[in-house]
Amino acid sequence: MSLTVGLNCCRVRALGYSSALLPWRPSIGLITMPKGCRFRTRASGRRKVLKKKQREEEEAKSEAAISLQTSADERFSVDENPADSNVGIVNPPRGAVIQACTLTSGLIAALGILLRQVSHVAAEEGLPVVDCSEQVSFGFEIWHLGLIFGLILVISSSRFLLLKTWPDFRESSEAANQQVLTSLEPLDYLLVAFLPGVSEELLFRGALQPLFGMDLKSVLAVAALFGILHLGNGRKYSFAFWATFVGCIYGYATIASSSIVVPMAAHALNNLIGGISWRYSSQSFKALK
């Protein structure tokens, strides 16, 4: 204690002051931090705050990325279910479906009748044009019933196998059926099955195929056109392939029978069987109802 006080007194005298004028204060334990140390402490505190903010920002970004990935996984899991993937498809009301089916079928049938009539008149005038009405008539014989039954059996069983083994075709068929058939009543299925079946066969197998020639090339060309026109409204290339395959079968049946009635009846009945099967087996229809 005396040594410390003496040192303080000597330090004061050295500065030119008298120790008697200053009150005595013990200096034991008093430590004054230099200015540079205080600056370094503040800088270190700022760095800690900045690091803390950076960690918080990185944590927020990682949480946002996890939430986005989770939502994407949820959307993907929804898309894996065909019944749920078509939830966003707008289903038109019953009246709109019937009106569109009637109008479209009427226009297709009118075009087929016009082509057949023009070809008939041109052939009678001596022009080098095939008379469609002579190549493919509306005649019907008893043995045609067996041909129609065979067409229904082959096409319906092929559709069933493709629905079970080809996911893309199953999704396309589901989307198309849901859009057209969901809002219909049971008796409406007769209308939407027979009108397109009759009108489409009248145009493609009753007019276009005879004009192109009653041979293999004509069958394939008309069937390919028939398949391409079945794209859209949720139907993918798998459905176009299916329509092309069906068109080839109807084309061969037209050549074998020389009657447009055979493909018309088979097409309409296959449409009806497919629609009824979807109505009573589709999970989408049951969920929407």
Side-chain angles (χ1 to χ4, degrees):
M1 175 70 74
S2 61
L3 179 60
T4 305
V5 173
L7 290 174
N8 288 335
C9 292
C10 293
R11 193 178 296 127
V12 173
R13 287 194 187 97
L15 293 174
Y17 292 97
S18 175
S19 61
L21 298 176
L22 295 174
W24 178 84
R25 291 179 294 178
S27 60
I28 296 176
L30 295 178
I31 300 175
T32 304
M33 184 176 291
K35 293 183 179 180
C37 294
R38 285 191 293 242
F39 177 77
R40 286 194 295 271
T41 305
R42 290 176 184 174
S44 177
R46 288 173 184 164
R47 285 196 295 270
K48 290 180 180 180
V49 172
L50 291 175
K51 289 181 179 179
K52 184 178 180 180
K53 288 183 178 179
Q54 290 177 356
R55 285 196 301 268
E56 291 177 352
E57 291 177 357
E58 291 177 357
E59 291 176 357
K61 290 179 180 179
S62 62
E63 290 177 358
I66 292 172
S67 63
L68 289 174
Q69 183 64 30
T70 304
S71 61
D73 293 340
E74 291 176 352
R75 288 194 299 270
F76 179 75
S77 63
V78 170
D79 292 340
E80 288 180 339
N81 190 348
D84 296 334
S85 62
N86 298 317
V87 172
I89 296 177
V90 178
N91 300 317
R94 173 176 176 266
V97 173
I98 294 176
Q99 182 179 1
C101 179
T102 304
L103 179 61
T104 304
S105 298
L107 291 175
I108 293 174
L111 181 58
I113 293 173
L114 178 63
L115 290 176
R116 287 174 63 87
Q117 187 63 29
V118 169
S119 67
H120 177 70
V121 173
E124 286 188 345
E125 294 294 329
L127 297 176
V129 178
V130 176
D131 189 352
C132 297
S133 59
E134 289 185 358
Q135 295 289 326
V136 182
S137 66
F138 283 91
F140 184 79
E141 300 180 15
I142 298 299
W143 70 271
H144 290 167
L145 292 174
L147 181 58
I148 293 172
F149 178 78
L151 292 174
I152 294 172
L153 183 62
V154 170
I155 293 174
S156 295
S157 59
S158 299
R159 183 196 298 115
F160 177 80
L161 291 175
L162 288 178
L163 289 174
K164 293 296 183 182
T165 59
W166 196 356
D168 191 69
F169 174 70
R170 181 170 61 250
E171 293 175 4
S172 298
S173 300
E174 179 70 21
N177 289 332
Q178 184 176 332
Q179 281 185 311
V180 177
L181 303 177
T182 301
S183 60
L184 298 181
E185 299 295 332
L187 292 178
D188 297 334
Y189 281 55
L190 293 171
L191 184 68
V192 299
F194 279 85
L195 284 183
V198 171
S199 62
E200 290 175 1
E201 293 308 313
L202 180 61
L203 173 61
F204 288 94
R205 257 63 65 177
L208 294 179
Q209 184 168 310
L211 288 175
F212 291 167
M214 298 293 285
D215 52 16
L216 177 61
K217 293 181 180 179
S218 175
V219 169
L220 294 177
V222 174
L225 178 61
F226 184 69
I228 292 172
L229 293 178
H230 278 76
L231 286 171
N233 295 327
R235 294 174 295 193
K236 304 177 184 179
Y237 286 99
S238 57
F239 199 89
F241 172 81
W242 163 251
T244 302
F245 168 73
V246 172
C248 289
I249 295 178
Y250 292 149
Y252 284 120
T254 302
I255 294 176
S257 62
S258 299
S259 173
I260 193 60
V261 177
V262 172
M264 280 181 176
H267 192 161
L269 290 173
N270 275 312
N271 286 348
L272 183 61
I273 293 172
I276 293 175
S277 300
W278 178 84
R279 181 183 179 93
Y280 292 102
S281 64
S282 175
Q283 296 296 326
S284 297
F285 179 80
K286 294 177 182 178
L288 291 171
K289 287 299 181 180

